[in-house]
Amino acid sequence: MSRPALQLTDQQMRDFIVNGYVKVKTDFPPSFHENVYEQLDAMFEHTGNLGNNVLPLIPEMQEIFDHPVVHGAMQGVLGSDYVMHPHRYCHHNPEGSDGQGFHKDTYEGDEQIRRHRCRWTMAFYYPQDVTEDMGPTAVLPGSQYYETGESAHEQPDLSLCGEAGTVTIVHYDLWHRATPNRSDKKRYMVKFLFSRLGEPQTPAWKSDTANWHNGEAPEHPEMWESLWDWYYGKQNGTANGISRAEVDALIGTLDNDNERERLNAAYRLGRVGAAAVPSLKQALHGKSDAIRNYAGYALSLTGAPAVPTLIDALQAANDSARGTAAYALADMGKTAQEAMPALTRAAQDASEWVRRHATEALGLIGQQVSEEMDLSETVQVLTNGLHDDYYWIRDNAARSLAKLGTLAEPAIPTLIEQLEDENRYVRFHAALALKQIKTPEAQDALFNHLFASRWCTLTTRGTPY
């Protein structure tokens, strides 16, 4: 990259935490985007939408994401070692279209796992000027934290218009849609996915203060501040004085019909500290999956005082309780270090959901404690996970091995096998793990695979040689 990244500011990061998107614009000449547009036109005319192969077809688009302003923004929200996911797609919104309904995307290569902490983003790139009547992508700002359409639609509908070269980076869970195209022009938007490799340790943007300051109405004060703290690398856990009656009232709110109030109650409970753990433990082992999920958010934010409770829950008879415990421990990061042996066992659980969450946790926590713990058994369990019957567990196992880097060296033979997995995203993350391991054996295997599987964009039926 020839120019240094242009980092986001504190205010831009606050806006991203609250609203779930940041819009930037590259400074390439109009001819650059015109060339991309023309190649997209030719693709649709001659072959149709090539989906994931749109980048190999038009490799110039990589320059968009190498641009300092885009690279800097992506670093801010995903950390300095983020990676471009292999899924990308050109969204064609033709003249006269009716658009789409608002939705959240499913995760490519994984089941639909939602986390408030931003570990995945999408980037929307416009290769032409897009005005309101051309059917731009629209978002519901702040809706990334909501599971229900009812809550999401209380947010304002915002169309992401922009000149050619505009890139909007969004939290993967943000509700969005293509709006109706009322113009006489087709509209292209190329969507790319990115994921975080490392958990935050320090701000990856140009920060002037470690404290959360937000002048907007405090709709979700504890949640927003906890996310800011996570981005800053601060450990979980805040002990605030609160009465037993207040804890009981907040626990009751976890069953409220209003999703916003449930979220606020969960994050408020998470900032209470040890005093709320007994009540949250009861909720974790209760009969309601919905309440259990919010209890998981709260226990994860509680930090160290909740770790023993969550470790115990990994042995619960209820599959959902075990899965929620693994999910909550994963979000704690290094705070949950003592849970690594229990999570290593949970990654071999009979329930695929428990295995999925525990497998992810081993990567998220393991990468932060690798200098303090012997992770050889963890690496072996993750290596075994590469053969799981469920592709989304294999995908998480490969991603976790990538996060462990050089420690994953014993997994090399199995990772090489998974370069031919039946799922395209497992193949990618197996390749990524080999890249992160960095040994000569891993690099040779990776290069041999890439040279053999390389797709030549110049070869067509008319030019086969």
Side-chain angles (χ1 to χ4, degrees), residues 321-340:
R322 299 198 307 278
T324 302
Y327 179 99
L329 288 164
D331 252 359
M332 284 187 179
K334 189 174 183 178
T335 303
Q337 177 174 345
E338 67 180 280
M340 284 294 286

Side-chain angles (χ1 to χ4, degrees), residues 17-38:
I17 288 170
V18 172
N19 297 312
Y21 75 95
V22 58
K23 184 190 288 188
V24 295
K25 185 179 181 300
T26 61
D27 60 0
F28 292 110
S31 58
F32 178 95
H33 306 294
E34 290 167 5
N35 177 48
V36 172
Y37 183 92
E38 289 169 1

Side-chain angles (χ1 to χ4, degrees), residues 215-268:
E216 299 181 24
E219 188 175 7
H220 296 300
E222 282 87 7
M223 180 170 68
W224 291 340
E225 185 171 3
S226 75
L227 291 167
W228 171 270
D229 288 348
W230 174 71
Y231 269 118
Y232 233 91
K234 298 179 184 179
Q235 293 297 311
N236 290 359
T238 303
N240 295 333
I242 189 171
S243 70
R244 178 68 196 183
E246 289 175 284
V247 170
D248 290 344
L250 289 168
I251 290 289
T253 304
L254 298 183
D255 197 27
N256 193 290
D257 289 340
N258 187 301
E259 183 179 9
R260 296 167 183 247
E261 292 187 19
R262 295 197 299 270
L263 276 174
N264 283 340
Y267 276 87
R268 175 68 178 132

Side-chain angles (χ1 to χ4, degrees), residues 148-318:
T148 65
E150 180 182 3
S151 295
H153 280 91
E154 291 182 22
Q155 302 299 104
D157 183 332
L158 176 69
S159 292
L160 300 174
C161 302
E163 297 176 347
T166 297
V167 177
T168 305
I169 299 168
V170 306
H171 187 299
Y172 196 88
D173 291 344
L174 191 68
W175 291 72
H176 62 282
R177 69 166 181 147
T179 57
N181 187 344
R182 301 184 300 274
S183 75
D184 58 358
K185 303 173 184 176
K186 68 187 75 172
R187 186 274 284 168
Y188 291 135
M189 180 273 282
V190 192
K191 179 187 74 177
F192 289 77
L193 269 57
F194 296 82
S195 63
R196 171 183 289 278
L197 268 185
E199 293 293 278
Q201 303 299 316
T202 58
W205 68 94
K206 187 179 179 180
S207 182
D208 297 321
T209 176
N211 297 318
W212 168 259
H213 298 291
N214 181 43
E216 299 181 24
E219 188 175 7
H220 296 300
E222 282 87 7
M223 180 170 68
W224 291 340
E225 185 171 3
S226 75
L227 291 167
W228 171 270
D229 288 348
W230 174 71
Y231 269 118
Y232 233 91
K234 298 179 184 179
Q235 293 297 311
N236 290 359
T238 303
N240 295 333
I242 189 171
S243 70
R244 178 68 196 183
E246 289 175 284
V247 170
D248 290 344
L250 289 168
I251 290 289
T253 304
L254 298 183
D255 197 27
N256 193 290
D257 289 340
N258 187 301
E259 183 179 9
R260 296 167 183 247
E261 292 187 19
R262 295 197 299 270
L263 276 174
N264 283 340
Y267 276 87
R268 175 68 178 132
L269 284 163
R271 283 168 117 48
V272 167
V277 171
S279 297
L280 289 169
K281 179 179 180 179
Q282 262 191 311
L284 180 67
H285 292 279
K287 295 181 179 179
S288 168
D289 284 344
I291 294 176
R292 188 180 353 268
N293 289 340
Y294 287 102
Y297 289 140
L299 287 164
S300 179
L301 185 60
T302 298
V307 172
T309 292
L310 292 168
I311 291 175
D312 288 345
L314 290 175
Q315 303 298 318
N318 183 287

Side-chain angles (χ1 to χ4, degrees), residues 397-410:
R399 279 193 283 126
S400 287
L401 288 165
K403 290 173 182 177
L404 295 182
T406 55
L407 290 178
E409 183 176 355

